Amino acid sequence: MSSVLISPSILSADFAKLGEEVRSIDEAGADMIHVDVMDGHFVPNLTLGPPIIKALRPHSQKRFDVHLMIAPVDPFIADFADAGADILTVHPEAGPHLHRTLQSIRSHDMKAGVALNPATPVDAVDYVMDDVDLILVMSVNPGFGGQSFIDSQLRKIEALRHKIDQTGRDIILEVDGGLKPENAQAAISAGVTAIVAGSAVFKGGPEAYAANIAALRPK
Ligand code: DX5
Ligand code: ZN
């Protein structure tokens, strides 16, 4: 299988030169650009928002895979659409009306994703399978880069692979957190079609990005 998308998380990039970093990972073979938005409330960390995404937009034609770790989400959906997000992924715990939120994302011409925390069960998506374009399995607790992969999430990936296959729809199954060349293959074998990696892609600086991305691809 060679169709796994690699989505480097710019959380591990050099924030003093983000535009250049986005161009570098694009040229190094990234399939999407993963942007982690944190609000210091839903998760214990603060990162960036729509103005920075808008500023980065001209630096790559690749899809911007925007992972929202914010609550609430709904008042900001239009801002992320204007900023140039292609996929907007939300956590079910971030608001009381997940179905409404997913509809709103799609109504703004973006793809809609749902992210499941390590302790969130797979049935959180049972009744929104027709409303999602991407399901993101968090293999760390959201908030920080550089954490260790939680192995129990491989079983969750397998269960979601089965659920997605039953729909017959082309829903991206993405994994995020602690991915490295040593464990990427296990996630791919379990059924993911997209891999997010921050520290594993950005380590070693721009000269290493192409090799770091290639090392995450299916063997
Ligand atoms: C964690 C973020 C991840 C993180 C991945 O809250 O959603 O995208 O930056 O970083 P690594 O690959 O270093 O675990
Ligand atoms: Zn993320």
Side-chain angles (χ1 to χ4, degrees), residues 40-64:
H41 159 75
F42 184 71
V43 290
N45 197 5
L46 274 170
T47 55
L48 51 83
I52 291 181
I53 294 174
K54 192 167 206 158
L56 293 174
R57 189 62 277 188
H59 293 270
S60 173
Q61 300 299 312
K62 306 272 169 76
R63 278 174 286 177
F64 275 19

Side-chain angles (χ1 to χ4, degrees), residues 9 11 34 36 38 67 69 138 142-146 176-178 196-199:
S9 163
L11 188 59
H34 188 82
D36 287 307
M38 305 185 187
H67 177 191
M69 288 157 275
M138 287 305 303
F144 303 95
D176 183 6
V196 176
S199 42

